[in-house]
């Protein structure tokens, strides 16, 4: 098989995931796009490992070992990421990335509009915490 | 020397035997499944229905598993089916449900910088595809002979050469497990902390009916302090 087929497919999948990460608003959809990017890398690793295992004299099968490691790390990442997204959704009532701009520096392009609700949410949260700790 | 020359000659012969215009059956199958995979990935990142995005992700990951099978990496293919299609997508669907994702079309699935993202992605795709095709134009994968990724080969290399990273990975998985549990417990403990505090102060659990007389004894010593405490009404509401 021509090596360019899996390499081109993996490049296209990676760029699809890149578009998803940049363009999506929901945090869970961003996580899905991250999975797409990781899978593109996995396909690259497997293809080059199969190529090298036939052409090289000695091979450690490093591509397939790294693919297994990537899959395990992706499983851990999706677990932690979903836990974080659920915690954010429980605290803020939204999982939209655009609306989580507490650490944004200065007024952004729509900063004057989004500053007030943010500070309101912050004060409400502080009041809640004060209540809870009292 | 002569054997090396002979193998080099055979390699060039086999390279000349291939061609773009005479694809093998494996290449055609790879191309078709690759088109399906890429299309499903495109639908995943562009659809406005959130649950459909997760279901199209299943198609993408399953197509990638078929590609692994075509590349004779069997073990990776089954691991892909088990972990990605089996658990990751189920986790994502549960996440969508728990965050009350709207069923049906949601008009704000894409953010405002969609066109900038499209520009970046298309530019990156063009650059990557150009570089990759230019670099590996004359490279061929030899798929004949023993499978390069059967379970025996993968297991042998994993447990001979990669034992230490493997064990480190198990520690990482344990840390991720503990971290996920802590992250999901923390918010619950915070939201239920007033009952916990009042229970600790009153010395009795409200869920245990037998100890219902203990809170009276327990709250009596706390009584004088309560008027000075501004959070006392909230605490009592929590106790109720």
């Amino acid at each position: 098989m021509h090596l360019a087929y899996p390499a081109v497919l993996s490049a296209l999948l990676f760029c699809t995931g890149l578009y998803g990460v940049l363009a999506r608003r929901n945090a869970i959809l961003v996580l899905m796009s991250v999975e797409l990017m990781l899978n593109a890398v996995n396909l690259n690793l497997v293809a080059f490992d199969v190529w090298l295992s036939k052409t090289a004299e000695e091979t450690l099968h490093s591509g397939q070992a790294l693919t297994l490691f990537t899959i395990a790390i992706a499983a851990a990442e999706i677990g932690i990421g979903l836990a974080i997204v659920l915690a954010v959704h429980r605290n803020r009532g939204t999982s939209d990335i655009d609306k989580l701009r507490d650490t944004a520096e200065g007024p952004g392009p729509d900063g004057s509009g989004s500053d007030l609700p943010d500070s309101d949410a912050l004060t409400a949260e502080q009041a809640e915490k004060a209540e809870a700790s009292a | 020397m002569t054997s090396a020359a002979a193998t080099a000659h055979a390699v060039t012969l086999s390279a000349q035997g291939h061609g773009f215009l005479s694809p093998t059956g494996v290449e055609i199958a790879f191309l078709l499944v690759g088109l399906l995979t890429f299309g499903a990935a495109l639908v995943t990142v562009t659809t406005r229905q959130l649950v459909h995005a997760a279901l199209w992700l299943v198609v993408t990951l399953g197509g990638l598993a078929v590609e692994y099978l075509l590349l004779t990496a069997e073990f990776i293919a089954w691991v892909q089916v088990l972990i990605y299609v089996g658990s990751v997508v189920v986790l994502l669907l549960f996440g969508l449900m728990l965050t009350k994702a709207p069923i049906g079309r949601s008009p704000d699935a894409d953010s405002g910088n969609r066109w900038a993202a499209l520009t970046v992605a298309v530019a990156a795709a063009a650059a990557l595809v150009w570089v990759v095709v230019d670099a590996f134009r004359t490279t061929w994968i030899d798929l004949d002979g023993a499978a390069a990724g059967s379970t025996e080969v993968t297991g042998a290399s994993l447990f001979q050469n990669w034992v230490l990273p493997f064990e480190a990975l198990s520690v990482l998985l344990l840390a991720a497990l503990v971290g996920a549990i802590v992250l999901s417990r923390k918010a619950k403990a915070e939201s239920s902390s007033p009952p916990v505090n009042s229970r600790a102060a009153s010395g009795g659990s409200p869920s245990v009916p037998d100890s219902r007389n203990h809170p009276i004894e327990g709250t009596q010593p706390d009584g004088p302090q309560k008027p000075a405490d501004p959070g006392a009404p909230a605490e009592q509401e929590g106790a109720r």
Side-chain angles (χ1 to χ4, degrees):
Chain A
M1 189 193 296
H2 206 294
L3 185 56
Y5 287 128
V8 166
L9 177 62
S10 122
L12 289 177
L13 278 181
F14 186 87
C15 292
T16 312
L18 183 67
Y19 168 77
V21 167
L22 291 178
R24 286 300 204 178
R25 181 172 278 171
N26 193 319
I28 295 182
L29 291 178
V30 172
L31 282 179
M32 285 185 206
S33 309
V34 171
E35 292 300 313
L36 270 183
M37 294 167 81
L38 286 170
N39 270 287
V41 174
N42 283 347
L43 179 65
N44 234 344
L45 285 171
V46 168
F48 279 88
D49 180 70
V50 172
W51 170 52
L52 278 181
S53 72
K54 293 293 170 61
T55 53
E57 297 276 321
E58 191 90 3
T59 176
L60 289 180
H61 279 293
S62 49
Q64 300 197 30
L66 280 177
T67 305
L68 287 175
F69 295 164
T70 311
I71 289 176
I73 289 174
E77 171 253 333
I78 202 80
I80 296 283
L82 274 180
I84 291 174
V85 169
L86 287 184
V88 166
H89 181 264
R90 205 180 287 133
N91 282 335
R92 301 298 174 85
T94 181
S95 57
D96 286 357
I97 295 178
D98 291 9
K99 294 179 185 161
L100 304 173
R101 36 177 73 235
D102 290 337
T103 56
E105 188 170 310
D110 53 349
S112 57
S114 69
D115 258 353
L116 276 181
D118 273 359
S119 57
D120 277 352
L122 266 184
T123 51
E125 199 182 36
Q126 282 165 358
E128 263 184 18
K129 277 198 181 151
E131 264 187 10
S133 60
Chain B
M1 227 12 161
T2 54
S3 69
T7 50
H9 187 61
V11 164
T12 50
L13 262 191
S14 67
Q16 280 167 358
H18 300 293
F20 271 119
L21 296 180
S22 63
T24 61
V26 177
E27 281 177 341
I28 294 173
F30 193 95
L31 204 61
L32 291 179
V33 179
L35 281 179
L36 175 71
T37 306
F38 182 53
L42 279 182
V43 177
T44 301
V45 297
T46 53
T47 181
R48 292 186 181 278
Q49 309 197 23
L50 304 185
V51 182
H52 285 197
L55 296 179
W56 279 106
L57 191 67
V58 173
V59 178
T60 310
L61 300 176
L64 271 170
V66 176
E67 306 281 41
Y68 293 152
L69 275 183
L70 288 175
L71 284 169
T72 70
E74 304 161 12
F75 184 68
I76 305 284
W78 299 126
V79 165
Q80 167 98 1
V81 170
L82 278 178
I83 292 185
Y84 272 113
V85 183
S87 69
V88 166
V89 173
V90 173
L91 263 181
L92 284 170
L93 279 174
F94 267 103
L96 281 177
M97 281 183 232
L98 288 177
T99 55
K100 301 190 187 71
I103 306 293
R105 293 177 169 276
S106 58
D108 56 347
D110 290 339
S111 68
N113 51 10
R114 187 186 327 153
W115 297 110
L118 191 65
T119 310
V120 169
V122 167
L128 277 178
V129 167
W130 178 48
V131 167
V132 158
V133 167
D134 198 36
F136 301 107
R137 195 187 298 145
T138 58
T139 313
W140 307 89
I141 304 177
D142 185 16
L143 289 179
D144 300 329
S150 65
T151 311
E152 187 183 351
V153 174
T154 309
S157 76
L158 198 62
F159 287 105
Q160 278 175 2
N161 307 313
W162 298 93
V163 174
L164 199 59
F166 189 78
E167 298 298 331
L169 195 69
S170 64
V171 177
L172 175 87
L173 274 181
L174 180 67
L177 178 73
V178 174
I181 291 175
V182 166
L183 273 177
S184 0
R185 268 181 60 104
K186 195 178 166 202
K188 200 202 282 179
E190 271 180 8
S191 68
S192 65
S193 56
V196 166
N197 280 347
S198 62
R199 241 183 284 152
S202 58
S205 164
S207 63
V208 183
D210 287 341
S211 63
R212 204 175 288 157
N213 50 351
H214 289 301
I216 303 167
E217 302 170 6
T219 46
Q220 288 308 98
D222 288 345
Q225 294 173 359
K226 282 209 170 176
D229 196 351
E235 195 178 339
Q236 284 179 347
E237 277 182 19
R240 270 180 237 137

